[in-house]
Amino acid sequence: MARAGRALVSLNLLLMAIGCCMGLTLRGRLRTEGGSTAFRDSESRVDSIEEGVRPSFSWKLDAEGARNLVQAAYQIQIQDEDLFLWDSGMVQSSQSQHVQYSGPMPLAPHRYYKWSVRVWTNLNSQATFYGKFLVVSSSALSNATWIGSSVITMNELRKEFPLTSAIHSAIAYISGIGYYELYINGEAVDATRKLDPTWTLYEKRVMYVTYDVTSILRTGTNAIGVMLGNGWYSQDQWLGCQAEPNYGPPRMILALVIEVNTGETVTVYSDTTWVGRSGSITYDSLYHGEHVDGRLYRPGWVNPGFSDPSSLWLAAEAMDAPGGELTLMTVEPVRPEKTEISALSCTYKAANTYIYDFGQNLVGWVKYRVVGPAGSSISIKYTEIAEHPSSSDGIYTGMGYVDNLRSAVVTDQYILYGNKSGEIYEPRFTVHGFRYVEVRHSWSTPTLDSIKAVVVHTDVNEVGFFETSDDVLNAIHSNVFWGQKGNLMGIPSDCPQRDERKGWLGDVALTVDEAMFNFDLQPFYAAFLQQIADSQASNGAIPDTVPFSIGKLPGDPNWGTAVTTVAFYLIDHYGDVATVSQYYDNIVAWVDYLVQRATENDPLGLAKMYYNYGDWSPPPPVTMTNQSLCSSFALLNDLQHLSTISSLLNHSDDSLYYADLYTYFSNEFHQVFYNKSLSGYADGKQTANVLALTANVVPSDLKTVVVQSLLNDIAAYDTHLTTGIIGTRFLFPLLSELGYHEVALQIVQQTTYPSYGYMAYNPFENATTLWEVWDAPFEGPRVDSRNHIMFGSIDSWFYRYLAGINPNGLEEIILSPPTLRHDQLQLVGASYESGKGLISLHWQWLSEDTYQVAVQVPHNSRAVLLLPDFAVLKLSERDTLIFDGFEVTSQNNLKLIGILDAVISHSPVGARITIGSGDYIFYATFDTNLSRAPQPTVTSDRNNVFTNYVARRSSDNIQLQQQIEQLTAQLEMLKENILP
């Protein structure tokens, strides 16, 4: 093992089993009641859990080529050293997820435990997985002191200490806020961890991290060094906040618990015997960048025996504790990706100024290699776009456009120390969202090789894959993927680049399903539920942002719904009932608060249901629909989810109670908002009808006319959407649920304004992440972020409806490729690494009537495959005939190849096939003539609404650019006349 320290946080290990028999292998996970974390480099790290937390265990079965493989029994054993602490015995059960430890509690801290799981299957195979974990305790920090300085910017602290005996084990506990980096004996304990620990509401909770540093310590003199950054603890990051917290300067707390071979425990604490100084980082801010003076760097400052007479090292002060509970950080750390991105071009723009284009809007920073004289400086400014578009022909002039970043300066500065062999600058305590960087220095001409972009985000595993035969759909998915990845920064943020970067809960609620399809986020969102609970008010209200720093309390109902929605999808994707049960009271309190607000204006309180934002960001010139309707929808959605969650947690009385409330408010919703003259709801806009139909409040005798009203409005806008973030989230699933897959597809395939395709294909700039608003090139600097995830919900529709994967964490998987003809879309391939293993579905048309669908169902699972709603003429699985047009093959014969049941129907048309685990390829011959009513053809002036808007705004931009050019020319003339 490398000498680098091993981070001890609650991991989500996926390691191949040591035991293997008859082709069966296991991959195991340790989870805790509060979630766990995952690392790509998991082999060098060890699971850890906090004292008093009851672990649970999950595992996956791998057996190549097997079908219908089901776990018959399992046995879990835990031992402390060589003593067996708990043995579950052989349990006859197929449960392989979230099996809870039920042995003696609490488990003693500062101690390693070994665990194993043995599995037996229905195919007479067995396998065993072995793992280990460490129990840690925040009590280790109880005698340590928070240290820092109120006199200087003390961002480098150090201490030396002796060890006279050989070391048996050593665990470091540390929290440094805003951010810290830990060094021992000249080495970074974990150089890959960045921007650590994650941001919290510091007066409620402060995260600490543990490391196994046994291999780094040595007999004799040892040295510890800690660097500190401002992070979110600094007031620099609270611009525009209603109530700016007065946290103060950075500080840290540390305990190093060392057990030597004599059995004695030696503990080193942070206290006032430490010394510190203002180091080479002279300024750091998440919004404004980092300033580093390389001449102030002191090589060897984290080594034993270091001496530095040229710097002012002061005794550290005892600082006030932040006030929050010290809690083991269970969310994965932020880490850079291993593959760095090269610039596509380097363009000379002005004197000593160069613009690099990386071709992708990303989150992180650049690593810059430079050779120059000591004392010379470079400036690196980060931008999302080269220049705000000046006209519809997409001509750009001038330097990087930063107005959309508002007050954020987003500039790193580095002063060289003059190494003739060259030096590399890479920031430590800031992060940027960018595609372009503007580099300024005067002594040499940079090259493409001088610079690399480093992509940074919470270190979560990529678990999703999606691809189609349509380039527009692929570009949209890529934009969502990059946007989501860049907004996973310890918390789910709204944007990564301007003076915001907050945990807006509306964005969280809208994108959690999409995010879980693309990344393994069980521990991430489990930890975020704790953050929501920390920000929740005593009356149950939840703010707009978490940690609460901007927005309102109470938050908009479609923002606060995140607590319910995240919980719902933790169950749907991961079957994680245990985590949801921890926050059940928080969910109930929130929904009860909404109910109270909905009844305070009785009768018909929904008509005045409170709101903050409504259906945010519909495409101009369309205006927002009734905002109380949107808030009322959030209430109904939460009531449905809470009723379901209550039932799963065996709170049957609550489930009935909230179901009854749902019925009551559904009737009121229809009574209040239905507009008979429009055959729809409120103003008849798409969002109003979409939300009413999604909430299932439309009486059965009116459903046809409301659906027709929605379709008419879509057709009136030439098959474009008019929805904001709420309506967009539910528009596409609703159309698919109603059977109008082709309409949903036509909307998403659009490349004219407003559409997802317009973001990626327009005359101004080709977006590589999602815009904040549909018309970003025409907006001013207040709301034209080029990387906002709030419209990312479309990826959920891609996975669930266009591919047809529905994971159903507690039940059988549903695989349902859409009813689309050969001429509408030729193929879609998608996969998703679920808690039990890989789920994949790849469908394609081989000809106008011949269809292939390849699926993979994880072992210890079963799935229902629902073929498109065409008349089946013939169906086979590889070479095995299932249906010949008249009858289905014998069920007994089908079971031999893993098919548990097959039902083919012609009235209504369809095929339902129940399959066990394994890989399957089905071939179907269809009669693709549909009996669906034709889509409406509507003639309306609205067809030109968006075309006219784009034309007008493009003209405005041309005039504005001409004015700017005139003013610039006048300024240049003034300079020539004034300057000598």
Side-chain angles (χ1 to χ4, degrees), residues 104-118:
M105 285 290 289
L107 297 172
H110 317 304
R111 187 174 300 178
Y112 280 99
Y113 295 85
K114 299 177 183 178
W115 72 280
S116 65
V117 57
R118 186 181 186 186

Side-chain angles (χ1 to χ4, degrees), residues 647-954:
S647 178
L648 292 172
L649 297 180
N650 298 316
H651 299 301
S652 55
D653 290 344
D654 283 0
S655 182
L656 292 172
Y657 171 70
Y658 291 108
D660 288 344
L661 281 175
Y662 166 77
T663 301
Y664 172 82
F665 284 113
S666 293
N667 294 332
E668 183 179 321
F669 186 107
H670 175 71
Q671 185 179 356
V672 168
F673 297 114
Y674 185 67
N675 187 334
K676 186 176 180 180
S677 66
L678 297 176
S679 298
Y681 287 79
D683 49 15
K685 286 188 169 69
Q686 290 176 21
T687 290
N689 287 330
V690 163
L691 298 185
L693 288 163
T694 299
N696 201 27
V697 303
V698 184
S700 57
D701 60 329
L702 292 176
K703 185 171 182 178
T704 299
V705 298
V706 175
V707 170
Q708 195 64 48
S709 178
L710 171 62
L711 294 173
N712 287 344
D713 194 77
I714 292 171
Y717 284 100
D718 197 21
T719 320
H720 284 75
L721 50 72
T722 63
T723 49
I725 57 176
I726 309 299
T728 301
R729 165 65 178 90
F730 297 101
L731 169 65
F732 296 96
L734 174 70
L735 289 172
S736 290
E737 290 290 342
L738 294 172
Y740 293 101
H741 296 288
E742 65 273 28
V743 178
L745 180 63
Q746 289 167 14
I747 295 172
V748 81
Q749 286 177 321
Q750 295 284 359
T751 57
T752 53
Y753 175 81
S755 65
Y756 285 99
Y758 182 75
M759 296 185 191
Y761 300 94
N762 65 81
F764 308 111
E765 59 191 69
N766 300 131
T768 59
T769 47
L770 296 179
W771 292 344
E772 180 181 12
V773 289
W774 298 109
D775 62 335
F778 307 128
E779 292 294 339
R782 192 179 71 85
V783 286
D784 61 342
S785 157
R786 297 320 201 263
N787 187 353
H788 244 71
I789 195 54
M790 62 190 188
F791 281 113
S793 59
I794 188 63
D795 235 33
S796 174
W797 182 77
F798 282 171
Y799 279 100
R800 288 187 182 270
Y801 293 96
L802 204 55
I805 295 176
N806 290 276
N808 270 354
L810 293 177
E811 301 173 7
E812 60 188 7
I813 300 160
I814 304 297
L815 304 173
S816 55
T819 304
L820 293 169
R821 294 188 306 273
H822 173 271
D823 58 340
Q824 293 169 328
L825 191 63
Q826 291 185 356
L827 69 87
V828 173
S831 63
Y832 163 67
E833 182 72 30
S834 72
K836 289 188 176 181
L838 187 69
I839 304 170
S840 69
L841 191 158
H842 181 107
W843 63 262
Q844 65 176 323
W845 287 99
L846 303 178
S847 67
E848 291 185 1
D849 60 0
T850 306
Y851 187 83
Q852 173 186 290
V853 56
V855 302
Q856 181 173 341
V857 179
H859 294 306
N860 206 33
S861 303
R862 59 189 286 173
V864 172
L865 173 63
L866 303 173
L867 292 182
D869 293 336
F870 300 115
V872 180
L873 304 179
K874 182 180 179 181
L875 178 64
S876 63
E877 196 284 312
R878 300 183 198 265
D879 296 328
T880 302
L881 184 66
I882 298 174
F883 179 69
D884 61 4
F886 299 96
E887 62 181 2
V888 175
T889 301
S890 161
Q891 298 290 344
N892 288 334
N893 290 338
L894 293 179
K895 287 180 180 178
L896 294 176
I897 60 170
I899 298 176
L900 307 179
D901 189 33
V903 178
I904 313 297
S905 172
H906 285 94
S907 182
V909 295
R912 177 188 176 96
I913 308 166
T914 305
I915 52 180
S917 67
D919 301 323
Y920 301 82
I921 302 178
F922 294 93
Y923 296 92
T925 303
F926 288 129
D927 178 355
T928 58
N929 293 318
L930 294 176
S931 58
R932 182 173 298 145
Q935 295 304 306
T937 301
V938 178
T939 302
S940 170
D941 291 341
R942 284 179 283 176
N943 274 323
N944 299 319
V945 165
F946 293 130
T947 303
N948 293 339
Y949 174 78
V950 171
R952 177 174 58 81
R953 294 305 301 270
S954 296

Side-chain angles (χ1 to χ4, degrees), residues 8-11 30-32 35 47-55 107 133-137 208 328:
L8 299 174
V9 291
S10 176
L11 297 178
L30 171 73
R31 292 195 184 276
T32 70
D47 287 355
S48 83
I49 63 173
E50 201 157 19
E51 181 184 20
V53 172
R54 190 177 297 275
L107 297 172
F133 62 91
L134 175 78
V135 176
V136 300
S137 174
Y208 72 88
L328 178 67

Side-chain angles (χ1 to χ4, degrees), residues 396-422:
Y396 297 86
T397 58
M399 311 305 292
Y401 176 73
V402 294
D403 290 354
N404 69 324
L405 307 182
R406 303 190 297 206
S407 66
V409 178
V410 296
T411 302
D412 297 336
Q413 296 182 5
Y414 179 65
I415 299 176
L416 281 67
Y417 62 84
N419 188 325
K420 294 181 180 180
S421 299

Side-chain angles (χ1 to χ4, degrees), residues 41-58:
D41 293 335
S42 57
E43 71 276 1
S44 66
R45 297 172 174 87
V46 181
D47 287 355
S48 83
I49 63 173
E50 201 157 19
E51 181 184 20
V53 172
R54 190 177 297 275
S56 64
F57 305 92
S58 300

Side-chain angles (χ1 to χ4, degrees), residues 519-554:
F519 303 95
D520 182 5
L521 290 167
Q522 185 275 339
F524 183 88
Y525 281 113
F528 193 65
L529 278 180
Q530 177 67 73
Q531 295 254 47
I532 295 176
D534 286 345
S535 291
Q536 188 171 25
S538 59
N539 65 352
I542 289 173
D544 286 323
T545 59
V546 168
F548 183 38
S549 57
I550 196 171
K552 299 178 181 179
L553 176 67

Side-chain angles (χ1 to χ4, degrees), residues 436-458:
Y436 302 91
V437 294
E438 175 189 294
V439 177
R440 295 187 180 189
H441 64 71
S442 59
W443 60 90
S444 64
T445 301
T447 66
L448 288 178
D449 295 332
S450 303
I451 195 168
K452 298 288 184 182
V454 180
V455 179
V456 177
H457 54 85
T458 296

